[in-house]
Amino acid sequence: MERRTHKTVIIGEVAQAHEGSLGRAHAFIDMAKECGIDAVKFQTHIAEFESSRLEPWRVKFSFQDADRYDYWKRMEFTEEQWKGLVEHALESGLEFIGTPFSIEGFDLLWRNGVKSFKVASGEISNVFLLKEIAKKAEKIYISSGMSTWSELDKAMTIFRDRQSDIVLMQCTTMYPTPPEFWGLNIIPEMKQRYSIPIGYSDHSGTIYSGLAASTLGIDALEVHMCMNKMDFGPDTSSSLTMEEIKRLVTGVREIDIAICNIRDKDEVSKQLAGVRSVFSKSLALKHDMKSGTQIDYSDFLLLKPMIEIPANQIDNVVGNILKNDKKKGEFLKYSDI
């Protein structure tokens, strides 16, 4: 039986889960490799080029940052440190995806060998950044987390003539995202509207959303990573632990096989002929019967295996005359009637 495969690119989103610790950032790369996922994604923040002291908190969680600007500042790494993270990921066989929030952030990543980029949902109207990414990136993931169809239509015109791989990610910017906002129905709508690969960026904090999205034939699945559910930070409730990600990966890989190996029921039934004979039943006699007796429904037992007259032929057998003496428990043969 031929087995065809489809592979969903599974992305581990680190975001700010490293808490500004370079060692912890490298540990997430090792975690991604251990989980068996395909890519690791980091957000690249340079506070002075993307924020101000007026930026409000999405969630006021920090005990050490005076404001959001200070938080982004604490999340920064030096260019040399970013280079080391990129090299670590690539040497581990992982795709490194960078999410810049400024032209300067994009340039930093590009200088250090990053070829795959994610457009964050809040940057969908940042035409300057989108055009810069469109000019250079080899692969682009685009988040739709807060966008209207009109905003997505406008953004997609920037990438429409590109030769690079583009994956549009269905996403809902809620942390965590409850089931009624997963928006799985939007995935086929996106496929029809844009005729490009469609992915799913999950913020549910469970494996169920990603598994459900995988059954729709998505091309990429992004999940947030955390070391454990007690981690500090704004995204922990929306993240998966190593063990959860491993279970998710196992499920997605099996779904990948299932969705591209659709079978015709009749074809499968033929291929399972040997199994059918074991589980199906034949017509057998409930009691001793003499030759010349007219056969009735009450004369039969239905017994496994299916080696003589199949049980589904009982209507065609009833009413016939028995030609041979038969013992209780014997299977009836066509030559007996």
Side-chain angles (χ1 to χ4, degrees):
M1 186 182 295
E2 180 188 0
R3 175 189 264 197
R4 294 179 289 273
T5 58
H6 160 84
K7 186 173 183 182
T8 302
V9 176
I10 304 178
I11 304 164
E13 161 71 296
V14 179
Q16 278 67 248
H18 54 73
E19 268 299 300
S21 163
L22 182 62
R24 189 172 170 86
H26 279 281
F28 272 109
I29 294 174
D30 293 333
M31 175 180 167
K33 180 177 175 61
E34 174 68 20
C35 288
I37 62 181
D38 305 293
V40 62
K41 188 174 87 66
F42 284 88
Q43 296 182 8
T44 301
H45 294 279
I46 306 177
E48 65 178 303
F49 296 118
E50 66 176 80
S51 184
S52 72
R53 297 290 181 185
L54 298 178
E55 183 183 0
W57 291 99
R58 173 167 63 84
V59 178
K60 183 64 174 79
F61 64 91
S62 179
F63 296 98
Q64 63 190 107
D65 305 301
D67 52 32
R68 191 82 156 154
Y69 182 95
D70 283 347
Y71 174 64
W72 296 133
K73 194 73 178 171
R74 186 163 60 83
M75 294 301 105
E76 294 179 9
F77 293 128
T78 67
E79 182 154 345
E80 189 64 26
Q81 289 170 336
W82 277 116
K83 181 179 180 182
L85 289 167
V86 174
E87 289 176 349
H88 184 181
L90 298 179
E91 289 169 359
S92 298
L94 298 169
E95 178 183 6
F96 186 101
I97 304 172
T99 304
F101 291 81
S102 62
I103 297 291
E104 291 77 10
F106 172 81
D107 289 341
L108 184 156
L109 293 170
W110 180 256
R111 287 194 303 269
N112 288 284
V114 179
K115 304 299 182 184
S116 299
F117 290 86
K118 171 82 176 289
V119 176
S121 55
E123 303 297 319
I124 201 72
S125 60
N126 187 344
V127 176
F128 298 107
L129 180 59
L130 266 57
K131 287 184 176 180
E132 191 69 11
I133 292 174
K135 281 192 298 185
K136 297 180 179 178
E138 292 183 3
K139 189 165 187 179
I140 303 168
Y141 300 87
I142 304 170
S143 177
S144 64
M146 296 183 284
S147 303
T148 64
W149 283 118
S150 176
E151 289 169 332
L152 285 176
D153 289 344
K154 290 178 182 178
M156 294 307 296
T157 61
I158 297 174
F159 301 102
R160 186 167 294 156
D161 298 327
R162 286 183 42 84
Q163 297 302 311
S164 301
D165 290 334
I166 301 173
V167 183
L168 178 60
M169 308 288 284
Q170 159 55 11
C171 172
T172 303
T173 308
M174 298 174 69
Y175 304 85
T177 307
E180 60 268 29
F181 284 98
W182 288 354
L184 299 180
N185 63 289
I186 298 174
I187 293 172
E189 291 180 42
M190 285 180 166
K191 288 183 178 182
Q192 183 174 17
R193 191 181 188 98
Y194 299 114
S195 300
I196 61 172
I198 302 298
Y200 183 68
S201 183
D202 178 32
H203 297 145
S204 70
T206 73
I207 68 172
Y208 310 122
S209 175
L211 292 173
S214 294
T215 66
L216 299 175
I218 56 175
D219 292 275
L221 172 63
E222 178 187 331
V223 294
H224 280 254
M225 303 166 66
C226 66
M227 297 296 182
N228 66 72
K229 294 292 190 179
M230 295 301 292
D231 274 354
F232 177 77
D235 298 328
T236 303
S237 64
S238 311
S239 302
L240 302 182
T241 64
M242 178 183 289
E243 292 307 314
E244 288 174 323
I245 294 174
K246 285 182 176 180
R247 291 201 301 274
L248 176 69
V249 170
T250 298
V252 170
R253 294 302 177 229
E254 294 196 1
I255 293 168
D256 281 344
I257 295 170
I259 63 173
C260 61
N261 286 274
I262 305 302
R263 298 290 174 178
D264 176 81
K265 278 302 270 186
D266 290 339
E267 174 197 346
V268 172
S269 182
K270 290 177 183 177
Q271 292 172 339
L272 296 177
V275 177
R276 279 167 56 86
S277 68
V278 173
F279 286 95
S280 299
K281 294 181 176 179
S282 299
L283 298 180
L285 297 176
K286 188 180 291 187
H287 41 249
D288 294 346
M289 293 185 68
K290 294 291 186 180
S291 173
T293 304
Q294 186 175 35
I295 301 170
D296 187 59
Y297 288 103
S298 61
D299 296 324
F300 287 116
L301 294 171
L302 305 181
L303 302 179
K304 292 186 285 188
M306 198 274 286
I307 55 174
E308 298 295 344
I309 302 178
N312 63 6
Q313 293 299 308
I314 191 170
D315 289 340
N316 297 325
V317 172
V318 168
N320 283 277
I321 303 300
L322 191 65
K323 291 167 55 179
N324 306 303
D325 291 346
K326 301 292 289 185
K327 295 291 186 181
K328 175 183 177 180
E330 278 192 83
F331 287 101
L332 190 68
K333 300 177 182 178
Y334 284 109
S335 58
D336 292 323
I337 56 177

